[in-house]
Amino acid sequence: MTFSPARLVDRRALVTGGSRGIGRAIVERFAAEGATVAINYASREEEARTALEAARAASRDAGYGERPHLITRADMSDLSAVDAMLKSVIDALGRLDILVNNAGIQQELAGDSPDPKGLEHVLGVNLVGAVHCSQLAIRHFLSRKGGGAIINTSSVHQIIPKPGFIGYSVSKGGLANLTRTLALEFADRGIRVNAVAPGAILTDMNDSWRNDPKKKADVERHIPMGRAGTPEEMAAVFAFLASDDASYITGQTIFACGGLTLFGDFKHNWST
Ligand code: NAP
């Protein structure tokens, strides 16, 4: 196992969409740095149980013994389920110090094909659930000493348009303002709100290309660093932002994307 600093000892964290992909890597990294983690999922309980076992192993391997990590089912687009989840997680863990709004779905939605249900669903999971969960967490942070940290999983599509995916693009643009607005509102009360914006990461979300060498090479051709990223590379950034190493950082989005936001087409001077 790679070395992880002990920056989250005794912190209690909730990671939405923590059962697979980037969320699961965050869960393992937080556990390896000393945190106790509640792992949210929507439907695949088996995957959540596997993530729970991985978190337990990460705590043990890092010398923290048996930590009371838990799994918690809630569809982030169902706000009453989110209410119940926050209450049960805080009851079980004793308090909450870190919220990671990571649950997300990516669905095609063309700009000229209105689909109210599809739009409501993607915005509900990716954005509205995150707003509501943040408000609940902040109310809790303010109710006891110690402040808190929120980290939102955004995307390079926070700033790079994604034609054909209007709901996804709007949701990630919304997360940028969620991050900045809450950061400003609570900056003087010990609460930091930041975001990580991944590029192309090797998770189930990219099953359309990640296991096909030709399609993968086509994707990686567009990435200045020449390769897709790993969930573990994302988790390292979340752990930094959750920790006191980032104690003077709020309202920021870190683009962890291998240079995707550097406008790679401009590397060779075609415009002069
Ligand atoms: P993933 O591998 O598909 O995992 C998605 C996770 O979200 C799973 O734990 C899933 O749980 C959970 N989830 C899905 N719908 C949910 C809902 N309605 N309520 C609660 N949880 C739900 O995705 P990923 O690639 O790790 O993506 C994680 C985040 O990173 C997303 O916000 C995504 O937009 C963002 N992101 C990913 C990439 C990338 O290239 N992968 C790039 C930029 C941004 P179940 O299995 O139970 O459904």
Side-chain angles (χ1 to χ4, degrees):
M1 182 177 165
T2 53
F3 170 76
S4 300
R7 297 177 296 191
L8 303 177
V9 175
D10 208 29
R11 307 280 170 91
R12 326 279 164 99
L14 167 63
V15 180
T16 72
S19 55
R20 292 188 283 121
I22 294 170
R24 175 170 162 179
I26 296 168
V27 164
E28 287 189 58
R29 178 69 188 238
F30 280 16
E33 294 219 28
T36 303
V37 190
I39 303 162
N40 159 257
Y41 68 103
S43 55
R44 301 199 204 174
E45 185 170 336
E46 254 333 284
E47 299 270 4
R49 294 205 172 281
T50 306
L52 179 63
E53 284 313 317
R56 288 176 175 154
S59 297
R60 277 196 302 271
D61 291 352
Y64 299 108
E66 300 302 323
R67 304 302 308 159
H69 306 298
L70 58 93
I71 59 172
T72 175
R73 179 179 188 156
D75 180 333
M76 292 304 294
S77 66
D78 175 350
L79 300 189
S80 54
V82 175
D83 285 336
M85 172 174 71
L86 259 283
K87 186 176 179 322
S88 71
V89 165
I90 291 167
D91 283 351
L93 299 185
R95 64 168 200 275
L96 187 68
D97 307 303
I98 301 162
L99 167 66
V100 178
N101 285 311
N102 170 75
I105 51 172
Q106 182 171 235
Q107 284 177 357
E108 285 193 57
L109 202 54
D112 59 356
S113 303
D115 171 7
K117 278 211 161 67
L119 181 63
E120 188 180 334
H121 186 51
V122 75
L123 291 179
V125 177
N126 293 10
L127 182 60
V128 180
V131 175
H132 187 64
C133 203
S134 299
Q135 291 174 304
L136 294 170
I138 288 174
R139 196 164 64 186
H140 170 71
F141 295 158
L142 295 173
S143 73
R144 82 302 176 255
K145 286 193 166 62
I150 296 177
I151 306 144
N152 298 314
T153 307
S154 182
S155 163
V156 289
H157 297 299
Q158 174 174 314
I159 58 168
I160 302 175
K162 188 163 172 108
F165 291 79
I166 187 64
Y168 190 77
S169 286
V170 168
S171 73
K172 296 304 182 181
L175 283 178
N177 261 341
L178 172 66
T179 302
R180 287 166 54 79
T181 304
L182 292 181
L184 181 57
E185 192 167 343
F186 297 101
D188 57 355
R189 280 175 275 179
I191 296 169
R192 296 183 300 104
V193 186
N194 290 294
V196 178
I201 310 304
L202 299 169
T203 71
D204 297 348
M205 191 174 272
N206 290 321
D207 269 350
S208 63
W209 55 263
R210 70 170 169 157
N211 297 317
D212 177 326
K214 189 178 169 309
K215 287 183 183 167
K216 185 163 178 271
D218 278 349
V219 168
E220 291 182 325
R221 198 164 42 82
H222 296 285
I223 304 170
M225 287 179 72
R227 65 174 179 84
T230 66
E232 291 72 25
E233 287 176 305
M234 300 304 103
V237 187
F238 284 84
F240 163 68
L241 287 173
S243 78
D244 290 344
D245 280 353
S247 57
Y248 206 50
I249 299 177
T250 197
Q252 305 304 308
T253 297
I254 295 183
F255 287 85
C257 61
L260 259 181
T261 53
L262 297 175
F263 302 97
D265 274 1
F266 284 86
K267 185 166 181 181
H268 307 291
N269 264 333
W270 58 268
S271 60
T272 50

